[in-house]
């Protein structure tokens, strides 16, 4: 039994859509489809789907980390403004920036 490895995939693998996955037809072994599916084709599809899911997990993780960073920045900004107001500095003494400090000026890191 031979498994599929990274070198069996082209460098840029085009992700399969959910519809393509549902409609994907694997070749059969033997005559009249009585012996089952071709093992190599099954392993190739499984590895391709695993590769696709891994790439999506990396993207999802990056988005969640960015979301947490933005939430922390907003919370810090809100706390700073609240402390200024509680200190009795008055509305005139509070400096309101045009937007909270999010690092990348509110843009996604890939932008």
């Amino acid at each position: 039994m031979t498994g599929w490895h990274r070198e069996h995939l082209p460098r840029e693998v085009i992700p399969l859509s959910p519809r393509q996955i549902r409609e994907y037809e694997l070749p059969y072994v033997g005559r009249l489809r009585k012996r089952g599916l071709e093992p190599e084709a099954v392993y190739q599809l499984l590895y391709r789907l695993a590769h696709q899911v891994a790439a999506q997990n990396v993207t999802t993780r990056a988005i969640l980390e960015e979301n947490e960073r933005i939430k922390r920045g907003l919370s810090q900004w809100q706390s700073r403004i609240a402390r200024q107001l509680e200190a009795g500095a008055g509305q005139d003494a509070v400096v309101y920036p045009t937007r909270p400090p999010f690092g990348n000026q509110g843009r996604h890191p890939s932008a």
Side-chain angles (χ1 to χ4, degrees):
M1 177 164 81
T2 340
W4 275 86
H5 303 285
R6 190 178 309 271
E7 62 268 9
H8 290 94
L9 288 174
R11 274 201 187 278
E12 290 299 319
V13 177
I14 299 171
L16 294 172
S17 70
R19 181 178 179 179
Q20 287 173 312
I21 293 169
R22 282 190 293 272
E23 295 174 354
Y24 200 92
E25 290 189 26
L26 292 164
Y28 285 89
V29 174
R31 292 181 278 177
L32 304 175
R33 300 180 176 201
K34 291 185 179 182
R35 303 275 327 260
L37 298 172
E38 177 64 45
E40 289 299 314
V42 172
Y43 293 127
Q44 182 181 15
L45 177 62
L46 288 175
Y47 190 82
R48 182 177 182 179
L49 293 174
H51 181 75
Q52 185 174 332
V53 168
Q56 289 173 337
N57 287 347
V58 167
T59 302
T60 300
R61 193 174 313 116
I63 290 169
L64 291 173
E65 288 171 0
E66 176 74 1
N67 187 34
E68 285 303 314
R69 190 183 67 75
I70 290 170
K71 284 180 181 180
R72 274 193 311 275
L74 178 61
S75 178
Q76 291 169 358
W77 179 75
Q78 288 172 330
S79 295
R80 189 173 63 245
I81 297 299
R83 281 192 303 273
Q84 289 175 356
L85 291 174
E86 287 174 0
Q91 292 288 340
D92 296 334
V94 177
V95 177
Y96 292 99
T98 56
R99 63 174 177 242
F102 289 143
N104 289 331
Q105 286 75 39
R107 292 188 301 259
H108 191 272
S110 64

